Amino acid sequence: MSKIQLNLDNSPFATQLGATERWQRQASDTLIRALLESGALSQSSAELGSDNLTIHNAILVLGPRGAGKTVFLKNVQKIWEESAASQVAPRLYFCRDVDPTLLVERDNFANVVIAHLFNEVTDKWEKQGDPPPGIEQDFYAALDKLANALGNTEHSSAGAAGIDRIISYRSGIQLESLFQRFVRTTIRALDVDAIVLPIDDVDMALGRAFDVLDVVRRLLGCPYIIPIVSGDLALYRPIITDHFASGGVTPKSVLIDRPSAEGLTDAYLTKLFTVKNRIELLGLSELLPELVVRERDREQSAEEFLDMIARALCPLVNGEENSRDWPQPGTPREFEQVARMFAPSFLSRKASDVGEFWYRAKVLASGREHGSLELVADAERWLIQQRQVDIIPRLMSMEVFNVTAQAHVRSSRGHDKPYFKQLEKALSELPLSPSVLQSHRAFLGRLEENPYTRRSLPPLEFFSERLPPSAKAVTIIS
């Protein structure tokens, strides 16, 4: 099997990728299997001709931030069309993806989905001409009934009385069947067996995330729609648990205890996203052995490429005892960004463009809050400036060698080094007289208020007493 690759010659904004540029091969195989099964269910449901079928066939694409979920979603159609299953399996229509983070104020996600399907149908008719007789009429009739039901449901029934209140309740009960009828006319209009609807970044919608998931559960549990939802379970769980604990009431009130809410969350996610329809994207460490970096018809393994970057950022050391300390990428997104920042062609001209190299190193270190590399980059850039004016600098004038210049209060992300604590421990182990100890304590007092440094440093050398030369040494000197 051919290697997967990062092609640096392509635009960083490219989302439609070739087969070797799609890194998640196992996930692609799982996606094809899930689409095949869901498409078959859509066909069998259509034969029954019912508008009251509920099938939880949503596909969940899992992965932490930066795992490549958005890129994967944008390539689901290509993955399907290039598979052998697409030639004999149910006919699937792939909608453009929906981003719930774009919802504003009181937008209803159900309305967004309906409008999305409407746009897909009308766009097709505009491109291909008038629809077959009868289909357009059925489509608009189903849409009109669904719109009326949604309007009655969304209208507050608190002020309604008698028949008006009964009508609003009746519309809510019928909403699911009316939605399924609308979707059935939609697949007829599109001339397919099922509609695939990618929904991206649900977990980033935060305050709207539960509402979006509940629309997937209530309405998109329709056999004719296959939702593909991306997200991170580590973010989903607290959002859903918080909703169950408070009953979705604002301001928050506690209805059930936290353990019970967490149990409901597990049951909710298990029902909404069946285990066999969950797709876990591989992390960077699992992808690296099969990944190559390609630029200008030259290839090298990703591991060799990372080693090349480490040697450029940390020269004159052998890598032992953490001597090549730099912010290595932890996700596929970070890997691609680092690879484009330090492309092989750029590393090859480091000597002639050293100022730009260390500027990029500083940007990388600052963004990842990596104090050690940021100090080195600052020192290298400062030395370049000093050489231009023929000044030989003192090492203590550079922050990388200056303890007091680095000393500061701990940052919020906690990447700092507890230098004061290490220094105090080293001092307590020395046999010092009270007078010498007091003088050292005075120095330590200046560091106590700012006890952290941006990188690891060895303890300062403390002299316990005066060290007079021996008589033998004096004789030799004489």
Side-chain angles (χ1 to χ4, degrees), residues 219-236:
L219 289 186
L220 302 187
C222 163
Y224 314 112
I225 287 186
I226 308 171
I228 304 181
V229 182
S230 72
D232 183 357
L233 281 181
L235 290 176
Y236 278 143

Side-chain angles (χ1 to χ4, degrees), residues 5-18 20-21 23 292-300 305 335-336 339-346 349:
Q5 67 171 338
L6 170 61
N7 192 338
L8 297 179
D9 297 326
N10 289 344
S11 166
F13 306 107
T15 54
Q16 295 298 309
L17 306 177
T20 58
E21 296 172 296
W23 298 356
V292 297
V293 178
R294 181 181 179 86
E295 185 188 31
R296 300 175 186 176
D297 298 325
R298 296 183 61 184
E299 288 185 358
Q300 66 182 132
F305 175 61
F335 179 85
E336 180 175 1
R340 293 189 181 279
M341 182 177 280
F342 296 100
S345 58
F346 176 71
R349 63 175 190 272

Side-chain angles (χ1 to χ4, degrees), residues 31 34 43 54 72 87 122 142 180-181 187 203 223 271 277 314 341 355 373 391-392 430 445 475 477:
L31 172 70
Q43 283 182 314
T54 300
F72 186 81
Q87 306 303 316
T122 54
Q180 288 199 19
R181 185 175 304 170
I187 62 174
D203 51 358
K271 179 179 181 179
N277 276 3
C314 309
M341 182 177 280
L373 179 60
I391 295 177
I392 300 176
L430 291 175
T475 302
I477 293 172

Side-chain angles (χ1 to χ4, degrees), residues 1 7 26 80 93 99 211 231 237 300 303 306 335 376:
M1 183 179 291
N7 192 338
Q26 289 178 305
W80 172 255
Y93 182 88
D99 188 347
D211 295 336
R237 291 186 185 282
Q300 66 182 132
E303 293 166 328
L306 289 177
F335 179 85
V376 170

Side-chain angles (χ1 to χ4, degrees), residues 43-201:
Q43 283 182 314
S44 58
S45 299
E47 293 171 0
L48 295 175
S50 174
D51 295 326
N52 292 293
L53 299 173
T54 300
I55 298 174
H56 293 294
N57 61 347
I59 299 170
L60 178 61
V61 180
L62 290 170
R65 309 308 304 170
K69 298 186 294 295
T70 297
V71 172
F72 186 81
L73 248 62
K74 290 187 180 299
N75 281 271
V76 293
Q77 181 174 358
K78 205 167 184 180
I79 292 170
W80 172 255
E81 290 175 349
E82 292 178 2
S83 70
S86 66
Q87 306 303 316
V88 294
R91 298 165 301 159
L92 302 180
Y93 182 88
F94 290 82
C95 291
R96 288 159 289 191
D97 58 296
V98 182
D99 188 347
T101 61
L102 301 180
L103 293 173
V104 295
E105 297 180 356
R106 296 189 178 184
D107 280 353
N108 185 319
F109 188 63
N111 291 339
V112 172
V113 171
I114 294 166
H116 204 64
L117 296 176
F118 175 81
N119 289 337
E120 296 288 345
V121 172
T122 54
D123 287 350
K124 179 184 178 182
W125 287 346
E126 287 178 6
K127 293 176 183 176
Q128 299 183 4
D130 295 333
I135 289 182
E136 184 177 19
Q137 183 179 355
D138 292 346
F139 176 76
Y140 281 108
L143 177 62
D144 183 60
K145 290 182 179 180
L146 178 58
N148 288 333
L150 276 170
N152 290 330
T153 303
E154 290 179 351
H155 184 272
S156 174
S157 61
I163 192 67
D164 291 332
R165 177 170 292 190
I166 293 172
I167 289 173
S168 69
Y169 290 154
R170 181 173 178 271
S171 297
I173 294 170
Q174 288 184 326
L175 185 60
E176 182 179 339
S177 62
L178 289 173
F179 178 78
Q180 288 199 19
R181 185 175 304 170
F182 168 69
V183 176
R184 286 183 65 196
T185 62
T186 301
I187 62 174
R188 283 181 59 208
L190 296 172
D191 192 26
V192 294
D193 296 312
I195 298 169
V196 179
L197 180 64
I199 306 172
D200 194 15
D201 278 338

Side-chain angles (χ1 to χ4, degrees), residues 267-283:
Y268 184 87
L269 287 171
T270 302
K271 179 179 181 179
L272 182 57
F273 302 113
T274 60
V275 175
K276 67 184 180 65
N277 276 3
R278 296 186 184 186
I279 300 173
E280 185 84 33
L281 299 188
L282 298 180

